[in-house]
């Protein structure tokens, strides 16, 4: 590697040696994520993982992929790059647990205008932290320097995860019935969806300084609240599934309540939620007020303080809350109930 250098490629804007330097800087972060099953290390053409099927006679692999979206624009404006990697992991692993799977491995993809090794290492540090929170291993990735395609100080970040579950334990909503209880897991804020609207509401293109201003309603600068990383729900949800039958799980992302909750509902069932039972943080009230956004649009765009919705039998609701409270989700609460119908009823 030390002898690998192309003056011609460097003249075109691609510094191969910067890529090697970035890999060296990220090794310590990747090491934090290694789990049993990991084989080899960084530098190969593929990430290796040995699947332990001891308790999975019929293993099913479940994959998920996503990016961070235009939330990255805020990271550029604030020159803060160590948290968006958590968002990237969260958007993938929170999806696969909706089927009951445990995320096993993660890979990231970073495309940038100029490879600044220290910045790339910050991004990977965030990805590694997300993997630690999710209990999965960062087994590989790719950094692509693309001058002329991205501005020098910008990048894109995406990821991919694979999880596994025994076929007998795949989530099944066939027993969902009116009277079942919806349980909410609180979000940490906007998470990673709706930022095109957020950027327009606060006119960030013309007034980026608004991000650094202290906001009375939030008790901190607006940018700090907006850049708060997406919560990762893997460990508490999987702990719950060990003790309680979970009939449905919805990760509340783009499309808010109206698009995501119905994805976990049995045909003939609807989610009935009282608006008074939605614990909406001040950040969403501020977005609605400044942007003059109708209530329905807010619930159809943002998570409104609810990062994930779980459905359990009424008889299991109190136990489910206790398990969640004991496993890192002290803010979990009863959000509503299943009723006959379809979609979401906000009343």
């Amino acid at each position: 590697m030390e002898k690998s250098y192309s003056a011609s490629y460097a003249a075109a804007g691609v510094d191969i040696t910067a890529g090697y330097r970035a890999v060296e800087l990220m090794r310590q972060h990747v090491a934090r994520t290694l789990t049993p099953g990991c084989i080899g290390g960084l530098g190969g053409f593929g990430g290796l993982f040995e699947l332990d099927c001891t308790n999975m006679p019929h293993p099913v692999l479940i994959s998920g992929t996503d990016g961070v979206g235009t939330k990255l624009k805020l990271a550029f404006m604030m020159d803060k790059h160590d948290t968006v990697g958590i968002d990237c992991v969260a958007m993938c692993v929170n999806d696969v647990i909706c089927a009951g799977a445990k995320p096993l491995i993660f890979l990231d993809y970073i495309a940038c205008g100029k490879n600044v090794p220290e910045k790339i290492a910050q991004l990977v540090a965030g990805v590694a932290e997300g993997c630690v929170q999710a209990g999965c291993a960062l087994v590989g990735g790719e950094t692509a320097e693309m001058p002329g395609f991205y501005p020098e100080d910008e990048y894109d970040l995406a990821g991919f995860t694979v999880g596994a579950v025994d076929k007998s334990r795949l989530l099944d909503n066939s027993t969902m019935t009116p009277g079942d209880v919806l349980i909410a897991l609180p979000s940490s804020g906007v998470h990673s969806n709706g930022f095109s609207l957020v950027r327009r509401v606060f006119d960030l293109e013309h007034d980026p300084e608004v991000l650094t201003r202290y906001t009375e309603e939030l008790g901190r600068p607006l940018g700090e609240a907006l850049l708060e990383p997406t919560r990762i729900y893997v460990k508490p949800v999987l702990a719950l599934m060990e003790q309680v039958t979970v009939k449905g799980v919805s990760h509340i992302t783009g499309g808010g309540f109206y698009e995501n909750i119905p994805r976990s509902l049995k045909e003939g069932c609807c989610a009935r939620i009282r608006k008074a039972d939605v614990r909406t943080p001040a950040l969403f009230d501020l977005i609605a007020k400044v942007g003059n956004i109708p209530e329905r649009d807010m619930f159809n765009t943002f998570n409104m303080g609810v990062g994930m919705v779980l459905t359990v039998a009424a008889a299991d609701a109190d136990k489910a809350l206790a398990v969640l409270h004991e496993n890192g989700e002290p803010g979990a609460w009863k959000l509503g109930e299943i009723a006959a119908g379809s979609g979401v009823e906000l009343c």
Side-chain angles (χ1 to χ4, degrees):
M1 293 296 187
E2 293 179 359
K3 296 182 179 179
S4 179
Y5 175 75
S6 169
S8 299
Y9 211 3
V14 178
D15 185 351
I16 298 174
T17 58
Y20 301 149
R21 170 66 175 157
V23 170
E24 290 306 311
L25 291 175
M26 67 178 70
R27 284 186 187 279
Q28 60 178 316
H29 305 300
V30 175
R32 296 180 59 216
T33 76
L34 299 184
T35 61
C38 291
I39 300 175
L42 292 180
F45 288 98
L48 304 180
F49 188 87
E50 182 178 8
L51 181 61
D52 181 0
C53 296
T54 303
N55 297 312
M56 286 188 284
H58 300 287
V60 176
L61 298 180
I62 302 174
S63 57
T65 186
D66 209 338
V68 184
T70 64
K71 185 175 186 176
L72 292 178
K73 287 283 190 181
L74 278 71
F76 305 156
M77 292 176 180
M78 299 175 66
D79 194 24
K80 182 173 174 56
H81 312 284
D82 59 346
T83 61
V84 288
I86 301 174
D87 291 290
C88 186
V89 175
M91 297 306 292
C92 298
V93 298
N94 285 345
D95 277 353
V96 301
I97 59 172
C98 292
K102 172 181 170 49
L104 299 175
I105 62 173
F106 192 85
L107 294 93
D108 60 6
Y109 174 78
I110 303 168
C112 57
K114 181 177 177 60
N115 187 333
V116 179
E118 292 74 17
K119 182 185 288 186
I120 299 301
Q122 288 182 52
L123 290 172
V124 175
V127 172
E129 174 58 29
C131 287
V132 169
Q133 291 183 25
C136 65
L138 179 56
V139 297
E142 172 69 12
T143 302
E145 191 173 18
M146 302 169 65
F149 194 86
Y150 291 96
E152 281 197 0
D153 59 348
E154 294 190 5
Y155 53 82
D156 197 8
L157 174 62
F160 173 82
T161 192
V162 176
V165 62
D166 189 73
K167 190 173 182 179
S168 66
R169 303 195 65 179
L170 281 168
L171 247 62
D172 179 6
N173 66 10
S174 63
T175 63
M176 189 176 291
T177 185
D180 287 344
V181 172
L182 302 171
I183 294 176
L185 302 185
S187 71
S188 56
V190 181
H191 282 185
S192 300
N193 300 101
F195 275 89
S196 294
L197 179 54
V198 166
R199 290 185 298 113
R200 184 191 67 78
V201 165
F202 295 108
D203 196 21
L204 297 187
E205 182 178 348
H206 299 101
D207 185 21
E209 289 78 16
V210 70
L211 294 172
T212 61
R213 294 178 196 144
Y214 182 84
T215 305
E216 192 69 36
E217 296 94 325
L218 307 178
R220 56 177 170 167
L222 174 64
E224 186 179 312
L226 290 172
L227 209 55
E228 186 76 32
T230 306
R231 293 191 65 191
I232 292 176
Y233 301 102
V234 173
K235 292 179 180 179
V237 171
L238 291 181
L240 177 64
M241 291 176 180
E242 290 291 330
Q243 300 187 52
V244 173
T245 298
V246 178
K247 301 184 180 186
V249 180
S250 293
H251 182 201
I252 311 303
T253 56
F257 281 36
Y258 288 109
E259 289 189 20
N260 290 288
I261 295 177
R263 295 166 69 179
S264 70
L265 299 178
K266 177 184 174 182
E267 186 174 355
C269 290
C270 82
R272 181 171 293 160
I273 300 168
R274 293 176 62 246
K275 294 173 188 175
D277 291 334
V278 181
R279 301 176 183 177
T280 305
L283 177 57
F284 296 102
D285 295 332
L286 182 65
I287 292 171
K289 177 183 175 182
V290 174
N292 193 29
I293 301 172
E295 182 181 74
R296 194 186 193 287
D297 287 358
M298 290 295 296
F299 277 96
N300 206 171
T301 305
F302 300 109
N303 65 62
M304 300 302 284
V306 179
M308 187 156 278
V309 176
L310 316 173
T311 304
V312 299
D316 292 331
D318 289 340
K319 181 179 179 180
L321 286 172
V323 172
L324 290 167
H325 294 167
E326 292 167 2
N327 285 274
E329 286 296 338
W333 79 94
K334 294 180 183 179
L335 178 66
E337 64 178 8
I338 297 296
S342 62
V344 176
E345 291 182 8
L346 273 172
C347 51

